[in-house]
mmCIF file of all heavy atoms in Angstrom:
data_model
loop_
_atom_site.group_PDB
_atom_site.id
_atom_site.type_symbol
_atom_site.label_atom_id
_atom_site.label_comp_id
_atom_site.label_asym_id
_atom_site.label_seq_id
_atom_site.Cartn_x
_atom_site.Cartn_y
_atom_site.Cartn_z
ATOM 1 N N GLY A 1170 -23.806 43.164 15.595
ATOM 2 C CA GLY A 1170 -23.785 41.733 15.044
ATOM 3 C C GLY A 1170 -22.688 40.977 15.699
ATOM 4 O O GLY A 1170 -21.637 41.555 16.055
ATOM 5 N N ARG A 1171 -22.877 39.596 15.888
ATOM 6 C CA ARG A 1171 -21.788 38.761 16.306
ATOM 7 C C ARG A 1171 -20.626 38.979 15.327
ATOM 8 O O ARG A 1171 -19.464 38.975 15.748
ATOM 9 C CB ARG A 1171 -22.170 37.307 16.325
ATOM 10 C CG ARG A 1171 -23.182 36.979 17.539
ATOM 11 C CD ARG A 1171 -23.228 35.417 17.680
ATOM 12 N NE ARG A 1171 -23.865 34.814 16.520
ATOM 13 C CZ ARG A 1171 -23.814 33.457 16.220
ATOM 14 N NH1 ARG A 1171 -23.120 32.662 17.086
ATOM 15 N NH2 ARG A 1171 -24.370 32.893 15.122
ATOM 16 N N ARG A 1172 -20.973 39.024 14.072
ATOM 17 C CA ARG A 1172 -20.030 39.259 13.030
ATOM 18 C C ARG A 1172 -20.687 40.293 12.044
ATOM 19 O O ARG A 1172 -21.924 40.151 11.890
ATOM 20 C CB ARG A 1172 -19.484 38.016 12.217
ATOM 21 C CG ARG A 1172 -18.652 37.150 13.202
ATOM 22 C CD ARG A 1172 -17.330 37.825 13.767
ATOM 23 N NE ARG A 1172 -16.637 36.915 14.476
ATOM 24 C CZ ARG A 1172 -16.761 36.790 15.911
ATOM 25 N NH1 ARG A 1172 -17.658 37.579 16.557
ATOM 26 N NH2 ARG A 1172 -16.048 35.954 16.632
ATOM 27 N N VAL A 1173 -19.992 41.098 11.446
ATOM 28 C CA VAL A 1173 -20.528 42.063 10.478
ATOM 29 C C VAL A 1173 -19.708 41.813 9.158
ATOM 30 O O VAL A 1173 -18.583 41.941 9.097
ATOM 31 C CB VAL A 1173 -20.477 43.502 10.896
ATOM 32 C CG1 VAL A 1173 -20.935 44.422 9.787
ATOM 33 C CG2 VAL A 1173 -21.116 43.667 12.208
ATOM 34 N N LEU A 1174 -20.598 41.665 8.089
ATOM 35 C CA LEU A 1174 -19.970 41.467 6.754
ATOM 36 C C LEU A 1174 -20.363 42.791 5.920
ATOM 37 O O LEU A 1174 -21.454 43.133 5.761
ATOM 38 C CB LEU A 1174 -20.545 40.275 6.072
ATOM 39 C CG LEU A 1174 -20.104 40.065 4.547
ATOM 40 C CD1 LEU A 1174 -18.579 39.866 4.496
ATOM 41 C CD2 LEU A 1174 -20.742 38.909 3.951
ATOM 42 N N LEU A 1175 -19.240 43.494 5.623
ATOM 43 C CA LEU A 1175 -19.324 44.730 4.836
ATOM 44 C C LEU A 1175 -19.318 44.426 3.331
ATOM 45 O O LEU A 1175 -18.425 43.916 2.743
ATOM 46 C CB LEU A 1175 -18.191 45.725 5.241
ATOM 47 C CG LEU A 1175 -18.043 46.109 6.739
ATOM 48 C CD1 LEU A 1175 -16.914 46.849 7.045
ATOM 49 C CD2 LEU A 1175 -19.388 46.770 7.167
ATOM 50 N N CYS A 1176 -20.448 44.795 2.717
ATOM 51 C CA CYS A 1176 -20.618 44.628 1.139
ATOM 52 C C CYS A 1176 -21.073 45.951 0.688
ATOM 53 O O CYS A 1176 -22.157 45.969 -0.032
ATOM 54 C CB CYS A 1176 -21.571 43.470 0.857
ATOM 55 S SG CYS A 1176 -21.052 41.809 1.609
ATOM 56 N N LEU A 1177 -20.401 47.019 0.817
ATOM 57 C CA LEU A 1177 -20.909 48.310 0.468
ATOM 58 C C LEU A 1177 -20.660 48.654 -0.989
ATOM 59 O O LEU A 1177 -21.178 49.679 -1.534
ATOM 60 C CB LEU A 1177 -20.161 49.366 1.358
ATOM 61 C CG LEU A 1177 -20.385 49.359 2.819
ATOM 62 C CD1 LEU A 1177 -19.414 50.098 3.561
ATOM 63 C CD2 LEU A 1177 -21.834 49.741 3.099
ATOM 64 N N GLY A 1178 -19.915 47.884 -1.766
ATOM 65 C CA GLY A 1178 -19.693 48.105 -3.172
ATOM 66 C C GLY A 1178 -18.819 49.211 -3.566
ATOM 67 O O GLY A 1178 -17.981 49.701 -2.691
ATOM 68 N N ALA A 1179 -18.972 49.667 -4.783
ATOM 69 C CA ALA A 1179 -18.027 50.648 -5.342
ATOM 70 C C ALA A 1179 -18.911 51.701 -6.081
ATOM 71 O O ALA A 1179 -20.060 51.518 -6.458
ATOM 72 C CB ALA A 1179 -17.002 50.116 -6.231
ATOM 73 N N ARG A 1180 -18.260 52.780 -6.438
ATOM 74 C CA ARG A 1180 -18.952 53.867 -7.286
ATOM 75 C C ARG A 1180 -17.940 54.421 -8.199
ATOM 76 O O ARG A 1180 -16.672 54.372 -8.080
ATOM 77 C CB ARG A 1180 -19.512 55.055 -6.372
ATOM 78 C CG ARG A 1180 -18.518 55.728 -5.555
ATOM 79 C CD ARG A 1180 -18.980 56.676 -4.674
ATOM 80 N NE ARG A 1180 -18.061 57.209 -3.684
ATOM 81 C CZ ARG A 1180 -17.029 58.117 -3.996
ATOM 82 N NH1 ARG A 1180 -16.924 58.676 -5.224
ATOM 83 N NH2 ARG A 1180 -16.102 58.464 -3.056
ATOM 84 N N GLU A 1181 -18.477 54.961 -9.296
ATOM 85 C CA GLU A 1181 -17.614 55.635 -10.283
ATOM 86 C C GLU A 1181 -17.197 56.981 -9.862
ATOM 87 O O GLU A 1181 -17.923 57.741 -9.174
ATOM 88 C CB GLU A 1181 -18.353 55.832 -11.581
ATOM 89 C CG GLU A 1181 -18.574 54.410 -12.335
ATOM 90 C CD GLU A 1181 -19.495 54.574 -13.613
ATOM 91 O OE1 GLU A 1181 -20.716 54.896 -13.365
ATOM 92 O OE2 GLU A 1181 -19.070 54.344 -14.680
ATOM 93 N N MET A 1182 -15.911 57.348 -10.227
ATOM 94 C CA MET A 1182 -15.433 58.736 -9.781
ATOM 95 C C MET A 1182 -16.197 59.776 -10.461
ATOM 96 O O MET A 1182 -16.504 59.652 -11.662
ATOM 97 C CB MET A 1182 -13.948 58.854 -10.103
ATOM 98 C CG MET A 1182 -13.028 58.070 -9.235
ATOM 99 S SD MET A 1182 -11.314 58.281 -9.391
ATOM 100 C CE MET A 1182 -10.973 58.098 -11.229
ATOM 101 N N PRO A 1183 -16.545 60.901 -9.743
ATOM 102 C CA PRO A 1183 -17.236 62.050 -10.350
ATOM 103 C C PRO A 1183 -16.209 62.856 -11.266
ATOM 104 O O PRO A 1183 -14.957 62.670 -11.233
ATOM 105 C CB PRO A 1183 -17.720 62.820 -9.212
ATOM 106 C CG PRO A 1183 -16.767 62.561 -8.137
ATOM 107 C CD PRO A 1183 -16.319 61.073 -8.369
ATOM 108 N N ARG A 1184 -16.738 63.930 -11.886
ATOM 109 C CA ARG A 1184 -15.990 64.728 -12.694
ATOM 110 C C ARG A 1184 -14.785 65.497 -11.837
ATOM 111 O O ARG A 1184 -13.651 65.572 -12.296
ATOM 112 C CB ARG A 1184 -16.857 65.890 -13.331
ATOM 113 C CG ARG A 1184 -15.988 66.957 -13.975
ATOM 114 C CD ARG A 1184 -16.939 67.990 -14.671
ATOM 115 N NE ARG A 1184 -16.042 69.100 -15.155
ATOM 116 C CZ ARG A 1184 -16.552 70.060 -15.895
ATOM 117 N NH1 ARG A 1184 -17.808 70.084 -16.281
ATOM 118 N NH2 ARG A 1184 -15.767 71.068 -16.349
ATOM 119 N N SER A 1185 -15.115 65.831 -10.608
ATOM 120 C CA SER A 1185 -14.211 66.547 -9.779
ATOM 121 C C SER A 1185 -12.916 65.701 -9.546
ATOM 122 O O SER A 1185 -11.838 66.211 -9.529
ATOM 123 C CB SER A 1185 -14.802 67.017 -8.571
ATOM 124 O OG SER A 1185 -15.328 65.869 -7.775
ATOM 125 N N ALA A 1186 -13.128 64.441 -9.439
ATOM 126 C CA ALA A 1186 -11.900 63.628 -9.104
ATOM 127 C C ALA A 1186 -11.153 63.310 -10.370
ATOM 128 O O ALA A 1186 -9.945 62.815 -10.265
ATOM 129 C CB ALA A 1186 -12.432 62.187 -8.553
ATOM 130 N N ARG A 1187 -11.634 63.555 -11.599
ATOM 131 C CA ARG A 1187 -11.033 63.351 -12.815
ATOM 132 C C ARG A 1187 -10.264 64.487 -13.296
ATOM 133 O O ARG A 1187 -9.564 64.502 -14.348
ATOM 134 C CB ARG A 1187 -12.099 62.791 -13.876
ATOM 135 C CG ARG A 1187 -12.713 61.541 -13.419
ATOM 136 C CD ARG A 1187 -13.815 61.229 -14.519
ATOM 137 N NE ARG A 1187 -14.664 60.139 -14.088
ATOM 138 C CZ ARG A 1187 -14.645 58.946 -14.523
ATOM 139 N NH1 ARG A 1187 -13.776 58.621 -15.511
ATOM 140 N NH2 ARG A 1187 -15.443 57.929 -14.125
ATOM 141 N N LEU A 1188 -10.340 65.647 -12.713
ATOM 142 C CA LEU A 1188 -9.725 66.927 -13.003
ATOM 143 C C LEU A 1188 -9.938 67.367 -14.467
ATOM 144 O O LEU A 1188 -8.955 67.661 -15.267
ATOM 145 C CB LEU A 1188 -8.198 66.799 -12.786
ATOM 146 C CG LEU A 1188 -7.774 66.214 -11.346
ATOM 147 C CD1 LEU A 1188 -6.302 66.083 -11.296
ATOM 148 C CD2 LEU A 1188 -8.230 67.264 -10.394
ATOM 149 N N ILE A 1189 -11.178 67.352 -14.827
ATOM 150 C CA ILE A 1189 -11.629 67.900 -16.151
ATOM 151 C C ILE A 1189 -11.946 69.322 -16.057
ATOM 152 O O ILE A 1189 -12.750 69.713 -15.265
ATOM 153 C CB ILE A 1189 -12.855 67.032 -16.621
ATOM 154 C CG1 ILE A 1189 -12.511 65.486 -16.777
ATOM 155 C CG2 ILE A 1189 -13.302 67.422 -18.001
ATOM 156 C CD1 ILE A 1189 -13.734 64.524 -16.978
ATOM 157 N N GLY A 1190 -11.409 70.096 -16.997
ATOM 158 C CA GLY A 1190 -11.574 71.512 -16.949
ATOM 159 C C GLY A 1190 -12.797 71.926 -17.710
ATOM 160 O O GLY A 1190 -13.617 71.169 -18.187
ATOM 161 N N GLY A 1191 -13.028 73.323 -17.831
ATOM 162 C CA GLY A 1191 -14.114 73.779 -18.548
ATOM 163 C C GLY A 1191 -15.251 74.303 -17.659
ATOM 164 O O GLY A 1191 -15.153 74.493 -16.447
ATOM 165 N N SER A 1192 -16.482 74.632 -18.229
ATOM 166 C CA SER A 1192 -17.571 75.060 -17.396
ATOM 167 C C SER A 1192 -18.287 73.927 -16.810
ATOM 168 O O SER A 1192 -17.972 72.839 -16.963
ATOM 169 C CB SER A 1192 -18.473 75.856 -18.422
ATOM 170 O OG SER A 1192 -18.939 75.045 -19.514
ATOM 171 N N ARG A 1193 -19.439 74.302 -16.206
ATOM 172 C CA ARG A 1193 -20.131 73.271 -15.252
ATOM 173 C C ARG A 1193 -21.645 73.158 -15.732
ATOM 174 O O ARG A 1193 -22.513 73.397 -15.032
ATOM 175 C CB ARG A 1193 -20.066 73.749 -13.887
ATOM 176 C CG ARG A 1193 -18.612 73.831 -13.275
ATOM 177 C CD ARG A 1193 -18.092 72.503 -12.947
ATOM 178 N NE ARG A 1193 -16.662 72.605 -12.708
ATOM 179 C CZ ARG A 1193 -15.920 71.597 -12.400
ATOM 180 N NH1 ARG A 1193 -16.358 70.358 -12.278
ATOM 181 N NH2 ARG A 1193 -14.551 71.661 -12.077
ATOM 182 N N PRO A 1194 -21.913 72.770 -16.953
ATOM 183 C CA PRO A 1194 -23.126 72.680 -17.477
ATOM 184 C C PRO A 1194 -23.844 71.345 -17.059
ATOM 185 O O PRO A 1194 -23.237 70.477 -16.531
ATOM 186 C CB PRO A 1194 -23.037 72.756 -18.974
ATOM 187 C CG PRO A 1194 -21.708 72.175 -19.212
ATOM 188 C CD PRO A 1194 -20.912 72.436 -18.022
ATOM 189 N N ARG A 1195 -25.131 71.279 -17.200
ATOM 190 C CA ARG A 1195 -25.901 70.136 -16.942
ATOM 191 C C ARG A 1195 -25.584 69.185 -18.112
ATOM 192 O O ARG A 1195 -25.268 69.504 -19.179
ATOM 193 C CB ARG A 1195 -27.351 70.349 -16.998
ATOM 194 C CG ARG A 1195 -27.932 71.044 -15.700
ATOM 195 C CD ARG A 1195 -29.339 71.220 -15.677
ATOM 196 N NE ARG A 1195 -29.917 72.092 -16.806
ATOM 197 C CZ ARG A 1195 -30.579 71.584 -17.788
ATOM 198 N NH1 ARG A 1195 -30.951 70.257 -17.929
ATOM 199 N NH2 ARG A 1195 -30.922 72.283 -18.764
ATOM 200 N N GLY A 1196 -25.725 67.813 -17.735
ATOM 201 C CA GLY A 1196 -25.547 66.666 -18.749
ATOM 202 C C GLY A 1196 -24.310 66.062 -18.532
ATOM 203 O O GLY A 1196 -23.978 65.059 -19.451
ATOM 204 N N VAL A 1197 -23.521 66.166 -17.513
ATOM 205 C CA VAL A 1197 -22.329 65.494 -17.186
ATOM 206 C C VAL A 1197 -22.763 64.459 -16.086
ATOM 207 O O VAL A 1197 -22.914 64.799 -14.930
ATOM 208 C CB VAL A 1197 -21.095 66.302 -16.665
ATOM 209 C CG1 VAL A 1197 -19.856 65.480 -16.526
ATOM 210 C CG2 VAL A 1197 -20.841 67.496 -17.845
ATOM 211 N N ILE A 1198 -22.750 63.125 -16.451
ATOM 212 C CA ILE A 1198 -23.221 62.148 -15.496
ATOM 213 C C ILE A 1198 -22.389 60.826 -15.643
ATOM 214 O O ILE A 1198 -21.583 60.779 -16.625
ATOM 215 C CB ILE A 1198 -24.669 61.705 -15.656
ATOM 216 C CG1 ILE A 1198 -24.946 61.204 -17.125
ATOM 217 C CG2 ILE A 1198 -25.581 62.925 -15.480
ATOM 218 C CD1 ILE A 1198 -26.338 60.623 -17.353
ATOM 219 N N ASN A 1199 -22.487 59.883 -14.736
ATOM 220 C CA ASN A 1199 -21.805 58.650 -14.833
ATOM 221 C C ASN A 1199 -22.759 57.564 -15.199
ATOM 222 O O ASN A 1199 -24.034 57.791 -15.320
ATOM 223 C CB ASN A 1199 -21.085 58.364 -13.463
ATOM 224 C CG ASN A 1199 -21.970 58.078 -12.342
ATOM 225 O OD1 ASN A 1199 -23.103 57.809 -12.495
ATOM 226 N ND2 ASN A 1199 -21.472 58.408 -11.122
#
């Protein structure tokens, strides 16, 4: 592109980035 505009947005942090302990069952989502 002659110029490029980046609009990639953002995302919510996953469990791993929040340092939450315990087991790893299904049902943990953002």
Side-chain angles (χ1 to χ4, degrees):
R1171 286 194 296 166
R1172 296 295 181 269
V1173 176
L1174 177 60
L1175 302 173
C1176 300
L1177 296 167
R1180 57 181 171 81
E1181 290 171 292
M1182 288 193 300
R1184 172 181 175 168
S1185 57
R1187 299 172 190 254
L1188 305 178
I1189 299 170
S1192 55
R1193 303 282 171 178
R1195 290 184 296 112
V1197 182
I1198 63 174
N1199 60 27

